[in-house]
Amino acid sequence: MDKSILSEYADMKEEIKDLRRRISEDQKRIDQLKRTIVSDSVTCGKKGKKPIRTVKIKGFPQVEINRRVALMERRQAKLQMLETALIEKQLQVEEYIQTIQKSELRIMFRLYFIDDLSYPKVAMRMNQIYPKRKIKYTDENVKKRIQRYFENVPQCPDPKC
């Protein structure tokens, strides 16, 4: 297992966010279409070049609604598959983080990669966890520690790779 699992996990989380946003937009559009009444005027037969009469037809855009509902259902099915895969990835990420020697770094990695906190928020949390530390954590400090860890760790520690 290598560090690429962390970036895959982050990418997968973003993909799920995007899919949720699209589903939400689809639902809003379906609700909007259900409130929409479409009307059209149709001619009934012709006598020469002139129509005999015209009829006004009103209704809902059912074809468009059905298309949107089908699209939304496919997206929801894909979302469920991705969420299941995300849980598996999260377990892999937690296993990778567990291989880190220092407890302090493991906490930082969990806060940054799993809890999705920014560097300043990770620094704040670390300061809450370690209030008696002489040198307080800063966002730059946290960022550098994570970068240094990746510079010093080989790509794949397992001999299988």
Side-chain angles (χ1 to χ4, degrees):
M1 188 181 324
D2 61 353
K3 64 184 179 183
S4 66
I5 193 77
L6 298 172
S7 60
E8 288 176 35
Y9 177 71
D11 293 342
M12 202 171 217
K13 283 171 65 172
E14 290 302 316
E15 184 179 6
I16 287 174
K17 282 182 191 175
D18 180 56
L19 199 53
R20 283 189 179 137
R21 179 188 57 81
R22 289 174 189 271
I23 290 171
S24 173
E25 287 175 3
D26 284 344
Q27 186 62 50
K28 287 178 187 174
R29 182 70 179 140
I30 289 169
D31 292 342
Q32 183 182 31
L33 286 171
K34 285 182 179 178
R35 289 186 305 244
T36 303
I37 296 176
V38 180
S39 62
D40 193 11
S41 55
V42 179
T43 60
C44 296
K46 288 192 174 190
K47 187 174 185 182
K49 291 186 177 184
K50 294 183 181 181
I52 297 174
R53 66 183 178 142
T54 59
V55 177
K56 194 167 190 175
I57 299 173
K58 291 183 180 181
F60 296 102
Q62 198 60 43
V63 174
E64 179 69 19
I65 291 172
N66 292 341
R67 196 176 318 136
R68 289 278 178 172
V69 167
L71 176 66
M72 189 175 72
E73 287 172 354
R74 285 196 308 261
R75 284 184 175 161
Q76 286 174 336
K78 184 175 181 180
L79 178 64
Q80 287 178 343
M81 288 180 5
L82 283 175
E83 285 176 337
T84 303
L86 182 71
I87 291 170
E88 293 171 10
K89 284 274 190 234
Q90 185 173 358
L91 292 173
Q92 292 174 356
V93 167
E94 288 173 354
E95 288 173 6
Y96 177 79
I97 291 173
Q98 212 48 43
T99 62
I100 299 172
Q101 297 295 321
K102 291 188 175 184
S103 172
E104 183 181 32
L105 266 177
R106 283 195 304 266
I107 294 170
M108 278 186 207
F109 271 66
R110 277 191 206 102
L111 292 173
Y112 184 71
F113 290 104
I114 295 176
D115 296 341
D116 219 15
L117 298 178
S118 62
Y119 290 126
K121 289 182 180 178
V122 171
M124 276 181 20
R125 279 286 203 66
M126 291 299 289
N127 286 327
Q128 290 172 353
I129 293 170
Y130 298 105
K132 294 183 180 180
R133 190 169 188 259
K134 289 183 181 180
I135 300 172
K136 298 291 180 192
Y137 291 95
T138 63
D139 57 337
E140 281 298 314
N141 179 314
V142 170
K143 183 178 179 180
K144 279 293 185 188
R145 282 178 169 226
I146 291 173
Q147 286 176 348
R148 284 188 193 129
Y149 176 79
F150 286 131
E151 288 171 3
N152 296 333
V153 169
Q155 182 67 12
C156 185
D158 293 340
K160 299 176 196 172
C161 299

